[in-house]
Amino acid sequence: MITVEQLCVQSGLFRLDNVSFEIGTAQYAVLMGKTGSGKTTLLEALCGLKAIVAGRITLLGREVTRLKTPERDIGYVPQDLALFPTMTVREQLGFALMIRRWTRAAIERRVGELADLLELRPLLPRRPQGLSGGEAQRVALGRALAYQPRILLLDEPLSALDESTRAGMYELLRRVQHETGVTTLHVTHSLTEARVLADVLLVLEQGTVRRQALPSDLDQAERPQSGSAAFVGAPTDARSAPGRSVPRNAL
Amino acid sequence: MNQEPGSALAPPRARSDVPFYLALGVLSGLYLVLILAMLVADACFTTPDHLLQALRSREIQYAIRLSLISCTLTTILSLWVAVPLGYLLSRFPFRGRSLIDAILDIPIVLPPLVIGLSLLILFQTPPGRWVQQFVPITYAVPSVILAQFSVSAAFAVRTMRAAFDEISLRHEQVALTLGCSRSQAFWLVVLPQARRGLITAATLAWARALGEFGPILIFAGATRMYTEVLPTSVFLELSIGNIEGAVAVSLLMVAAALVVLLIVRVYGNDTASLRRL
């Protein structure tokens, strides 16, 4: 669970004041808001990349407000992805594990699992230069998920993708979230993304986050069905499945 | 309605662009010709015999050796300073950063002789004399390296800062979220990306050190077979009237400079970092 209470964040001249919201464990929350409303600043504050003036952040029952970024165990995919240009896809996927001093064999095994989940196997020896938008997005997602964080923050992950790649990514994001049970906060401008992906819709407006009902015209058919061929072994529609938080490390 | 010629609404008469391009070409070309003419004149003035004679001279062999060793040590020392200082200036907007930036311009804009004189005076102060009790510096080999380092390091810092500026801060931030400490993010993520900047900084520092003369003359003296580096040899050969020898040594330095230029062009940070110097 992500709990944010009366958070104040200062970033240069920009300031977020008294932001409060809550996202349940293993929920997929979509945060919307106008450009410049502070969505990225809020994500960075959750990651510990922005100084927090006041308030409290609790992740899965652990207060992290004053913890340093590496101690928060948050998977973060920034809008520009920031793939490391000097590393191969394999090295990027194994990076967080290498930092955590996993054995070479364990890293290799985990990288293999991620490559299968995200369909990255043929790309493992390649460097990020020359990857397509969708491929780069999947690598960034895999890099963030490698050490099995329980919180995943995605900053406009699909904004740079074309329509068909985006549709594939909807399925993938749902599948990843369903299989890993990772609590996800996804920032976007797109109402379609909210409709297709969100369990919870949050709107950031004038420095305040409020929870909003999902669009009433939500067409269930639009949502990727977990029971489709692409989701082998996954239960039916993740959003409607009761007690849907699958055990962590299910991968 | 017909417009009167010369009325306010009449389109301007199209003038030929040729004079403009001609002026650009001639003015730019003059300088390029000057550079190439200097090199050609050097090459024509000397003969392979002069070059061989210079290379056989014990003094010049010593100067080549000392130049190679001192420039390499200067480069290593410059990088040791340039990497942390360049990173600091690029990443942390601390109070006094512009002051440090301005201080770094001093070795670049100060007349070389003044740098040498300042170093000489520095090592005559009580702290300087105390250091010299343990390591003789003034008019000894360490003074050559120190004189080269004082100027070369400033160029290396500028280059490294430009290299770090070009690396997105996001990479480090993502590395932190993946569990890296600041130091791990620097060594594993930032520095490998700054590889080209490192090569550029090293070659520039090396080339700058090779050509350093003013501070060395004042601070290290021009003692044959002791504090003699290649520019000192040119000066000493000229002072005894051996112009052929001076030109031969100069050509050796021209060759070294061309190699450096080639390395920077092939491996370096293109010209982005040089432009900021």
Side-chain angles (χ1 to χ4, degrees):
Chain A
M1 181 183 279
I2 301 175
T3 311
V4 172
E5 296 164 274
Q6 300 187 317
L7 192 70
C8 299
V9 186
Q10 184 82 39
S11 173
L13 294 174
F14 182 79
R15 190 180 169 96
L16 277 177
D17 258 325
N18 286 323
V19 172
S20 300
F21 62 90
E22 198 173 280
I23 302 167
T25 303
Q27 279 192 318
Y28 198 114
V30 169
L31 174 68
M32 297 188 72
K34 288 183 184 157
T35 304
S37 59
K39 304 184 297 293
T40 297
T41 304
L42 185 57
L43 286 198
E44 288 176 345
L46 290 176
C47 288
L49 299 170
K50 281 274 182 283
I52 288 163
V53 181
R56 233 167 104 91
I57 302 172
T58 313
L59 302 177
L60 304 153
R62 182 173 70 126
E63 199 200 325
V64 301
T65 320
R66 304 286 159 211
L67 285 189
K68 286 183 176 173
T69 304
E71 296 167 328
R72 298 193 181 198
D73 277 345
I74 293 178
Y76 174 51
V77 179
Q79 190 177 0
D80 58 3
L81 306 181
L83 293 179
F84 305 139
T86 56
M87 295 183 202
T88 61
V89 170
R90 183 190 302 279
E91 287 165 340
Q92 317 241 8
L93 295 181
F95 184 77
L97 312 176
M98 186 263 290
I99 294 295
R100 286 168 172 74
R101 296 175 183 279
W102 282 31
T103 62
R104 195 183 290 265
I107 293 177
E108 198 51 43
R109 201 164 44 244
R110 177 68 183 150
V111 168
E113 286 169 0
L114 287 163
D116 289 338
L117 176 73
L118 301 165
E119 293 157 21
L120 290 171
R121 220 170 247 290
L123 306 178
L124 286 178
R126 283 176 57 183
R127 286 182 198 275
Q129 297 84 348
L131 293 183
S132 72
E135 289 167 346
Q137 192 60 254
R138 299 205 303 272
V139 175
L141 195 60
R143 181 181 62 180
L145 288 170
Y147 64 97
Q148 295 163 328
R150 294 167 73 186
I151 309 279
L152 179 64
L153 306 181
L154 307 170
D155 194 357
E156 300 195 31
L158 311 179
S159 59
L161 304 182
D162 61 63
E163 206 52 53
S164 62
T165 315
R166 197 174 299 172
M169 283 301 290
Y170 291 154
E171 285 196 0
L172 185 70
L173 285 171
R174 264 332 262 192
R175 175 154 55 110
V176 163
Q177 200 256 350
H178 190 70
E179 291 189 12
T180 59
V182 66
T183 306
T184 309
L185 178 56
H186 171 136
V187 164
T188 182
H189 284 291
S190 157
L191 199 58
T192 312
E193 284 175 33
R195 288 158 54 143
V196 175
L197 293 166
D199 296 321
V200 176
L201 177 59
L202 302 169
V203 177
L204 178 58
E205 219 167 31
Q206 291 169 341
T208 317
V209 172
R210 58 189 169 74
R211 197 177 261 241
Q212 190 166 302
L214 286 161
S216 54
D217 59 340
L218 178 70
D219 179 4
Q220 286 294 327
E222 279 187 53
R223 300 176 66 86
Q225 294 299 305
S226 323
S228 70
F231 299 108
V232 179
T236 50
D237 186 348
R239 199 171 79 102
S240 56
R244 48 181 284 281
S245 57
V246 272
R248 189 175 173 227
N249 308 342
L251 280 176
Chain B
M1 193 173 74
N2 288 336
Q3 285 172 9
E4 290 295 321
S7 77
L9 294 173
R13 195 166 57 88
R15 288 184 185 168
S16 166
D17 289 330
V18 173
F20 175 69
Y21 290 124
L22 208 64
L24 280 183
V26 168
L27 291 174
S28 318
L30 275 175
Y31 184 51
L32 293 175
V33 167
L34 175 67
I35 298 172
L36 293 175
M38 286 192 302
L39 297 181
V40 172
D42 279 349
C44 294
F45 191 84
T46 191
T47 61
D49 274 354
H50 286 139
L51 267 175
L52 283 175
Q53 209 176 333
L55 284 172
R56 276 197 214 105
S57 143
R58 276 181 60 238
E59 287 84 2
I60 293 183
Q61 282 177 3
Y62 178 88
I64 292 175
R65 221 170 22 248
L66 183 60
S67 274
L68 290 179
I69 293 170
S70 63
C71 291
T72 306
L73 286 173
T74 295
T75 303
I76 293 168
L77 290 174
S78 297
L79 287 184
W80 269 102
V81 173
V83 170
L85 197 48
Y87 185 65
L88 208 65
L89 290 170
S90 168
R91 286 294 189 264
F92 303 98
F94 55 90
R95 195 188 293 266
R97 185 166 72 164
S98 348
L99 180 69
I100 293 183
D101 215 31
I103 291 173
L104 283 167
D105 281 336
I106 294 176
I108 295 172
V109 298
L110 220 56
L113 290 176
V114 176
I115 292 178
L117 189 64
S118 309
L119 283 169
L120 193 64
I121 294 169
L122 174 67
F123 280 91
Q124 296 314 311
T125 58
R129 267 192 252 137
W130 182 80
V131 171
Q132 295 217 68
Q133 281 179 355
F134 308 99
V135 191
I137 291 178
T138 311
Y139 299 124
V141 172
S143 64
V144 174
I145 296 163
L146 201 56
Q148 290 173 340
F149 168 78
S150 307
V151 181
S152 292
F155 284 88
V157 172
R158 285 266 169 269
T159 312
M160 282 319 297
R161 186 199 170 156
F164 288 128
D165 278 347
E166 279 169 24
I167 299 170
S168 162
L169 182 64
R170 274 273 176 249
H171 291 128
E172 281 155 273
Q173 293 181 328
V174 168
L176 293 180
T177 66
L178 293 171
C180 281
S181 64
R182 278 238 164 240
S183 144
Q184 284 173 317
F186 175 76
W187 288 107
L188 299 172
V189 174
V190 181
L191 206 56
Q193 289 186 56
R195 191 181 63 94
R196 282 171 171 266
L198 274 171
I199 294 172
T200 309
T203 36
L204 278 179
W206 195 90
R208 184 73 215 188
L210 183 72
E212 212 56 72
F213 174 58
I216 293 176
L217 182 67
I218 305 284
F219 186 40
T223 315
R224 285 232 105 140
M225 302 288 288
Y226 187 44
T227 57
E228 180 183 356
V229 282
L230 283 172
T232 320
S233 300
V234 174
F235 171 73
L236 290 174
E237 295 296 340
L238 271 178
S239 64
I240 55 169
N242 180 11
I243 298 180
E244 291 82 5
V247 173
V249 178
S250 300
L251 277 179
L252 288 178
M253 289 199 287
V254 168
L258 289 178
V259 170
V260 164
L261 207 62
L262 199 69
I263 293 174
V264 172
R265 290 278 159 174
V266 175
Y267 297 104
N269 240 10
D270 59 54
T271 49
S273 56
L274 301 175
R275 263 186 260 122
R276 296 188 201 194
L277 289 177

